[in-house]
Amino acid sequence: MTVANTGAIAGDVSVPDELANNVFITNIAKLLDPVYNWSRRNSIWPVTFGLACCAIEMICTASSRFDLARFGMEVFRATPRQADLMIISGTVTKKMVPTIVRLYNQMPEPRYVLSMGACASGGGPFKEGYNVVDGIDKFLPVDVYVPGCPPTPQALINGLIALQEKIDQQSISTAPWYDKKDPTAGLYPVPVLGPDLVDVRQLDIIRQEATRYTPENPVRAAEAEPTEPPDVEDAPKTVEPQ
Amino acid sequence: MYGLGIIKGMGVVLRHFVRSYVDDVKWVNKGGRYYNDEALLVRQGPKGEGIKTVFYPEEKLPMPERFRFVPFLVTDEPPPGQRWGHDWCTSCGICAKVCPPQCIWIERGKQPNGRPKPEPEKFFIDIDICMNCGYCAEFCPFDAIKMDHDYELASYDRRTAHIHDKERLSKPISYWREIAPKKAEAEELARQMAEAAKAKKKDKDGDGREQRISEAVARQLYYQGLQY
Amino acid sequence: MSDTTLDPVTTPPPVDTLTPAQEATARLKELHPNIVSDDTREGYEGLIVYADSITEVAKSLRDELGFNYLSSVTGVDYLEEGKLEVVYHLYNIARGGGPVVLKAQVNRDEPVLPSLTPIFPGADFQEREAFDMYGFNFLGHPDLRRILTWDGFNGHPLRKDWKEPFYEEENKPFGSRWPDGQVFRAEEHNPYGKNVQYPPGWVPTGDEYDVETDVYLGLSYSRDSTPGLKTDKVTVNLGPQHPSTHGVFRMVVTLDGETIVDLKPVMGYLHRNHEQIGERNTFNMNMPYTDRLDYLSSMSNNLGYAITIEKLFDMTVPERAEWIRILMVELTRICNHLWALGFLLNDLGALQTPMLYFYLERELILDFFEATSGARMLCNYMRFGGLAYDLPDEVRGVPTLKFLEELIFNRLPSVLDQGDDLITGNEIVRARAIGVGILTPQDAIAMSTAGPLLRASGVPYDIRRAEPYSYYEHLDFDVAVRYNGDIYDRYLIRIDEMRQSLRILEQVLPHLKRTMGAPIIGDKPQYAMRAPRAGESYGRVENPKGELGYYVTTKRRSGNPERYHVRAPSFINLTALGPMSRGYKIADVVAILGSIDIVLGEVDR
């Protein structure tokens, strides 16, 4: 463990040249950060939360051969209130996503989300299905994505190490979870189940679409108004990968 | 008898505990039990005893040749100064057609006169959709797409990192030979035989028997080759 | 092992006597001449039954003809003919053999027919699923609610004219991928599903959805029936996020004190539209999707699907491929049962420890799968007419056959002995498991349970013996059976089955040595296969969790199935969960569920 920025001089304090070798100026955050991050990164407790196939690989990762205990992560908590990390291990379905968001809301800060496998990241092979959410990042902030279908235990550990590296970058002074101004800041809106999954953040758009969709005019909204931005079926657009 | 269950349980735990120390002693003169490739193989094999933990990331389980993760495109050996050479892919589209979740997008290359060129202009694989089934590699008639062994792909942003374009996908043939030497060798041989059979067919069009045999042998070899 | 068993396997000539199914079919036509008629469509078999009289036919099948096991109920949509069809597969538990297939056709606009639940309680969930997916109105069904989607979901998704929000094309491969493919992520351009079908007059408000009410209303709630002290009933939700539910499964339990009054399973939290995607896929594409059904035993799922399609395509499988298939499937069974036992003991309070020791051996089997097929869990190994690859040269640096011998003769028996020694006689396990969660043989059959659950109740029904597939008729093994039907017997039967699997594996190994180098696939696999005939095909295998069946229909020269249905054992075994748990304590429910051994990928599909 190294203490970051030893001897770094803060901009607003001027030190005479002759004292520069003897004075050590820092702030509490910089002193505490390494300890703070070191202790957090080595005791990430995940929620016991398995969704699908990836959950099996997650359990394999935690069991005898790959042994998450080496990273201090073996304590799978059955309640989100004691957990730091949520491994979204598998396909997120529309029926399940309200529960997942509710669980995430119950987790205390600092909390992390690791999206394990293709399904959790982007819908995976089941993306086209009517009951599948294409990516949990539509509803929750995801910290690390681990691709694969399913990722092998080693790939998952690789993702967890990536998460540890991310934690190392954080600082106690800028950590958003000590900011107490807005008590609802960490609450993510829970989607509701209607005729389809209803994202409450998008109620206006949905309301608009629903009124347009009348029994007298059962044509799809997108087909009825060609002036609208073309729909996926009509004209696929490009997403140029960066 | 009450309590016997606990004693038995403790016995099993103790047995495993002691065995790893016995195993430790066995490896003491051969480079140690941990962080030693040779020992890892034995420890993880059918004769392994005691604690079997793989100390990833310090030691990694070797991947078998057939291991499949996300696909990559095979190219020729790169000319000096470049990262990859000529694509083996002819943009025939079989991988895109056979892909179960339809995660492959190919834009076929065009010659100036508008006729299709046997080379992909663009090639995308969305690894958020890919199900690692290996069909693309299995059905590719040109051995141009293969399943990678690199599983360490964790990223912080899926929007930029999870669509693999042609640049990201292309890897030289030497890489494939490195990760799957036996398989690559068998494929090489099968390709040569198929080519020889084709050449023979051109030579003497009438004599079909010999050519049929060599084709059959080539095919057999191709599937034997698939063993690796 | 004598030399005679090493001879190449020959299929015995077909026997001329009538099978139980043929007998029953003929008898049914005599009994109900005006109600049943032969299904004369090309490639189809079974009997078309006048829909309103389906209960009569089912009753005489059960009571007079011995076809007392309703295995599969599924809907099919014939859009062009304007008809919906319900297909029933019934089996004779005592005599084995193939199914009697009944089909009831109803009008597409008004799909009403009587429910079979009064005769076969096992039809419960399957009829609910058919209602959910196709909108059948089963008259007389006690609790006809949506099961895989949620109450309030718009439409019936497996109807051929229903389109999902990101509908692209009717069949794969999609045209936009090649030759002018441009990546697009549908959801990014249309994030809130403009093309979702909304019910008429629906106004979203964002806070008025209480889709749960019906679940609670369905619970039996009989306050006054308790003698003595009057207590309030409490309704408790276990799941969908609960460490003991083996995934995203939910049980709504009504409790009187700690005693269970009623229990309702709620599922669909992992409903991944397997069947709808399967109908869009080509035949080949479905193979990796079947891996993801029961993701603990992907090899067996592969086998079931391969057998079904081979029936449809009329393919033969080379000998070596069959032996390797059996090797894989039996290893999968061991793998799955090790997992199931680990979790069952976990649920019984032996937290983690037995599980960790079982998994060491499971990892070795997974290593073998990985070296052979390329993936640890989701193997995608079988192809129509054979296998994807031959066995590898070596696994973890050991020659394959050596590895297998070590595994089969040494490691696996010793882990079973260790488990036996550690757990079977353990007083806590015995106290918690003996006499808990009893399922009588009559109930087990009536509720269409399958696999270890059925056999632990004293019904020796194993498809490997009842309707042998692959080379199982040439192999020497016993059908494991236990007679008490409690959790303890369900634990023991899994140990028994693993021992029988080891016995089979011991017989398979010499055949593997003998057929070394023989072909493993009949013909070069085609990437676009077309069905040589129209019609249906039903294939079933004895999965580790029970009877896994695939029902596939197709049109002639079609590249994809018209209907693709999976008869999932975990899903149907759950029918017995409620009746089995009633009267026991809340702590026992967890163990009872563990002893059924469900996998949510298969329950919800």
mmCIF file of all heavy atoms in Angstrom, chain C residues 121-139:
data_model
loop_
_atom_site.group_PDB
_atom_site.id
_atom_site.type_symbol
_atom_site.label_atom_id
_atom_site.label_comp_id
_atom_site.label_asym_id
_atom_site.label_seq_id
_atom_site.Cartn_x
_atom_site.Cartn_y
_atom_site.Cartn_z
ATOM 1 N N PRO C 121 -55.052 -33.298 -11.988
ATOM 2 C CA PRO C 121 -54.618 -32.045 -11.347
ATOM 3 C C PRO C 121 -53.325 -31.504 -11.940
ATOM 4 O O PRO C 121 -53.043 -30.307 -11.851
ATOM 5 C CB PRO C 121 -54.413 -32.448 -9.886
ATOM 6 C CG PRO C 121 -55.202 -33.687 -9.707
ATOM 7 C CD PRO C 121 -55.225 -34.385 -11.019
ATOM 8 N N GLY C 122 -52.544 -32.375 -12.564
ATOM 9 C CA GLY C 122 -51.274 -31.940 -13.149
ATOM 10 C C GLY C 122 -51.437 -31.000 -14.320
ATOM 11 O O GLY C 122 -50.473 -30.398 -14.778
ATOM 12 N N ALA C 123 -52.694 -30.886 -14.820
ATOM 13 C CA ALA C 123 -52.903 -29.975 -15.949
ATOM 14 C C ALA C 123 -52.944 -28.527 -15.506
ATOM 15 O O ALA C 123 -52.937 -27.626 -16.332
ATOM 16 C CB ALA C 123 -54.200 -30.340 -16.661
ATOM 17 N N ASP C 124 -52.983 -28.310 -14.198
ATOM 18 C CA ASP C 124 -53.190 -26.973 -13.643
ATOM 19 C C ASP C 124 -52.281 -25.911 -14.267
ATOM 20 O O ASP C 124 -52.745 -25.012 -14.976
ATOM 21 C CB ASP C 124 -52.973 -27.070 -12.119
ATOM 22 C CG ASP C 124 -53.294 -25.777 -11.405
ATOM 23 O OD1 ASP C 124 -53.580 -24.790 -12.102
ATOM 24 O OD2 ASP C 124 -53.250 -25.749 -10.172
ATOM 25 N N PHE C 125 -50.997 -26.037 -14.030
ATOM 26 C CA PHE C 125 -50.084 -24.999 -14.496
ATOM 27 C C PHE C 125 -50.007 -24.951 -16.009
ATOM 28 O O PHE C 125 -49.856 -23.892 -16.598
ATOM 29 C CB PHE C 125 -48.679 -25.232 -13.930
ATOM 30 C CG PHE C 125 -48.559 -24.902 -12.482
ATOM 31 C CD1 PHE C 125 -47.359 -25.079 -11.824
ATOM 32 C CD2 PHE C 125 -49.620 -24.413 -11.774
ATOM 33 C CE1 PHE C 125 -47.235 -24.772 -10.488
ATOM 34 C CE2 PHE C 125 -49.518 -24.108 -10.439
ATOM 35 C CZ PHE C 125 -48.320 -24.288 -9.798
ATOM 36 N N GLN C 126 -50.082 -26.112 -16.622
ATOM 37 C CA GLN C 126 -49.935 -26.115 -18.070
ATOM 38 C C GLN C 126 -51.119 -25.450 -18.734
ATOM 39 O O GLN C 126 -50.983 -24.793 -19.758
ATOM 40 C CB GLN C 126 -49.788 -27.546 -18.566
ATOM 41 C CG GLN C 126 -48.625 -28.249 -17.915
ATOM 42 C CD GLN C 126 -48.263 -29.496 -18.669
ATOM 43 O OE1 GLN C 126 -47.855 -29.445 -19.810
ATOM 44 N NE2 GLN C 126 -48.421 -30.633 -18.032
ATOM 45 N N GLU C 127 -52.300 -25.628 -18.165
ATOM 46 C CA GLU C 127 -53.463 -24.944 -18.736
ATOM 47 C C GLU C 127 -53.371 -23.444 -18.497
ATOM 48 O O GLU C 127 -53.746 -22.651 -19.357
ATOM 49 C CB GLU C 127 -54.754 -25.511 -18.142
ATOM 50 C CG GLU C 127 -55.102 -26.856 -18.737
ATOM 51 C CD GLU C 127 -56.452 -27.376 -18.283
ATOM 52 O OE1 GLU C 127 -57.081 -26.739 -17.443
ATOM 53 O OE2 GLU C 127 -56.845 -28.435 -18.793
ATOM 54 N N ARG C 128 -52.835 -23.099 -17.319
ATOM 55 C CA ARG C 128 -52.645 -21.668 -17.080
ATOM 56 C C ARG C 128 -51.655 -21.090 -18.082
ATOM 57 O O ARG C 128 -51.823 -19.969 -18.556
ATOM 58 C CB ARG C 128 -52.128 -21.434 -15.654
ATOM 59 C CG ARG C 128 -53.231 -21.390 -14.638
ATOM 60 C CD ARG C 128 -52.665 -21.221 -13.256
ATOM 61 N NE ARG C 128 -52.107 -19.893 -13.035
ATOM 62 C CZ ARG C 128 -51.422 -19.564 -11.946
ATOM 63 N NH1 ARG C 128 -51.219 -20.445 -10.984
ATOM 64 N NH2 ARG C 128 -50.949 -18.359 -11.802
ATOM 65 N N GLU C 129 -50.641 -21.866 -18.379
ATOM 66 C CA GLU C 129 -49.656 -21.379 -19.352
ATOM 67 C C GLU C 129 -50.299 -21.226 -20.730
ATOM 68 O O GLU C 129 -50.075 -20.227 -21.418
ATOM 69 C CB GLU C 129 -48.475 -22.353 -19.421
ATOM 70 C CG GLU C 129 -47.318 -21.795 -20.205
ATOM 71 C CD GLU C 129 -46.370 -22.856 -20.691
ATOM 72 O OE1 GLU C 129 -46.391 -23.974 -20.139
ATOM 73 O OE2 GLU C 129 -45.624 -22.570 -21.625
ATOM 74 N N ALA C 130 -51.117 -22.218 -21.108
ATOM 75 C CA ALA C 130 -51.787 -22.129 -22.405
ATOM 76 C C ALA C 130 -52.733 -20.935 -22.438
ATOM 77 O O ALA C 130 -52.867 -20.261 -23.460
ATOM 78 C CB ALA C 130 -52.548 -23.423 -22.680
ATOM 79 N N PHE C 131 -53.364 -20.655 -21.306
ATOM 80 C CA PHE C 131 -54.229 -19.457 -21.231
ATOM 81 C C PHE C 131 -53.394 -18.197 -21.399
ATOM 82 O O PHE C 131 -53.750 -17.289 -22.146
ATOM 83 C CB PHE C 131 -54.957 -19.437 -19.882
ATOM 84 C CG PHE C 131 -55.473 -18.086 -19.502
ATOM 85 C CD1 PHE C 131 -56.555 -17.536 -20.166
ATOM 86 C CD2 PHE C 131 -54.867 -17.346 -18.495
ATOM 87 C CE1 PHE C 131 -57.035 -16.283 -19.835
ATOM 88 C CE2 PHE C 131 -55.336 -16.090 -18.155
ATOM 89 C CZ PHE C 131 -56.424 -15.555 -18.833
ATOM 90 N N ASP C 132 -52.269 -18.185 -20.713
ATOM 91 C CA ASP C 132 -51.404 -17.016 -20.757
ATOM 92 C C ASP C 132 -50.891 -16.759 -22.171
ATOM 93 O O ASP C 132 -50.899 -15.637 -22.670
ATOM 94 C CB ASP C 132 -50.235 -17.243 -19.789
ATOM 95 C CG ASP C 132 -49.441 -15.991 -19.524
ATOM 96 O OD1 ASP C 132 -49.746 -14.970 -20.149
ATOM 97 O OD2 ASP C 132 -48.530 -16.042 -18.682
ATOM 98 N N MET C 133 -50.462 -17.839 -22.810
ATOM 99 C CA MET C 133 -49.789 -17.678 -24.088
ATOM 100 C C MET C 133 -50.766 -17.586 -25.257
ATOM 101 O O MET C 133 -50.462 -16.997 -26.279
ATOM 102 C CB MET C 133 -48.831 -18.846 -24.311
ATOM 103 C CG MET C 133 -47.683 -18.909 -23.344
ATOM 104 S SD MET C 133 -46.611 -17.517 -23.550
ATOM 105 C CE MET C 133 -46.320 -17.026 -21.889
ATOM 106 N N TYR C 134 -51.922 -18.255 -25.136
ATOM 107 C CA TYR C 134 -52.840 -18.289 -26.279
ATOM 108 C C TYR C 134 -54.220 -17.744 -25.978
ATOM 109 O O TYR C 134 -55.015 -17.527 -26.867
ATOM 110 C CB TYR C 134 -52.997 -19.732 -26.772
ATOM 111 C CG TYR C 134 -51.775 -20.238 -27.472
ATOM 112 C CD1 TYR C 134 -50.858 -21.041 -26.835
ATOM 113 C CD2 TYR C 134 -51.554 -19.896 -28.801
ATOM 114 C CE1 TYR C 134 -49.728 -21.485 -27.485
ATOM 115 C CE2 TYR C 134 -50.437 -20.342 -29.457
ATOM 116 C CZ TYR C 134 -49.524 -21.128 -28.795
ATOM 117 O OH TYR C 134 -48.420 -21.565 -29.445
ATOM 118 N N GLY C 135 -54.564 -17.595 -24.706
ATOM 119 C CA GLY C 135 -55.877 -17.083 -24.365
ATOM 120 C C GLY C 135 -56.982 -18.117 -24.316
ATOM 121 O O GLY C 135 -58.153 -17.763 -24.426
ATOM 122 N N PHE C 136 -56.627 -19.389 -24.156
ATOM 123 C CA PHE C 136 -57.673 -20.403 -23.994
ATOM 124 C C PHE C 136 -58.458 -20.126 -22.728
ATOM 125 O O PHE C 136 -57.880 -19.807 -21.685
ATOM 126 C CB PHE C 136 -57.053 -21.798 -23.844
ATOM 127 C CG PHE C 136 -56.473 -22.328 -25.100
ATOM 128 C CD1 PHE C 136 -55.099 -22.392 -25.265
ATOM 129 C CD2 PHE C 136 -57.285 -22.786 -26.111
ATOM 130 C CE1 PHE C 136 -54.553 -22.881 -26.417
ATOM 131 C CE2 PHE C 136 -56.740 -23.284 -27.274
ATOM 132 C CZ PHE C 136 -55.369 -23.330 -27.433
ATOM 133 N N ASN C 137 -59.750 -20.305 -22.804
ATOM 134 C CA ASN C 137 -60.553 -20.201 -21.598
ATOM 135 C C ASN C 137 -60.936 -21.613 -21.166
ATOM 136 O O ASN C 137 -61.829 -22.234 -21.739
ATOM 137 C CB ASN C 137 -61.796 -19.358 -21.890
ATOM 138 C CG ASN C 137 -62.609 -19.119 -20.646
ATOM 139 O OD1 ASN C 137 -62.207 -19.509 -19.550
ATOM 140 N ND2 ASN C 137 -63.743 -18.494 -20.807
ATOM 141 N N PHE C 138 -60.227 -22.121 -20.176
ATOM 142 C CA PHE C 138 -60.505 -23.481 -19.717
ATOM 143 C C PHE C 138 -61.618 -23.430 -18.679
ATOM 144 O O PHE C 138 -61.397 -22.978 -17.547
ATOM 145 C CB PHE C 138 -59.250 -24.112 -19.120
ATOM 146 C CG PHE C 138 -58.204 -24.418 -20.135
ATOM 147 C CD1 PHE C 138 -57.113 -23.585 -20.303
ATOM 148 C CD2 PHE C 138 -58.305 -25.538 -20.934
ATOM 149 C CE1 PHE C 138 -56.139 -23.864 -21.245
ATOM 150 C CE2 PHE C 138 -57.336 -25.821 -21.884
ATOM 151 C CZ PHE C 138 -56.251 -24.985 -22.030
ATOM 152 N N LEU C 139 -62.800 -23.886 -19.060
ATOM 153 C CA LEU C 139 -63.928 -23.832 -18.136
ATOM 154 C C LEU C 139 -63.702 -24.835 -17.016
ATOM 155 O O LEU C 139 -63.335 -25.979 -17.265
ATOM 156 C CB LEU C 139 -65.232 -24.164 -18.865
ATOM 157 C CG LEU C 139 -65.645 -23.177 -19.948
ATOM 158 C CD1 LEU C 139 -66.888 -23.675 -20.644
ATOM 159 C CD2 LEU C 139 -65.877 -21.804 -19.359
#
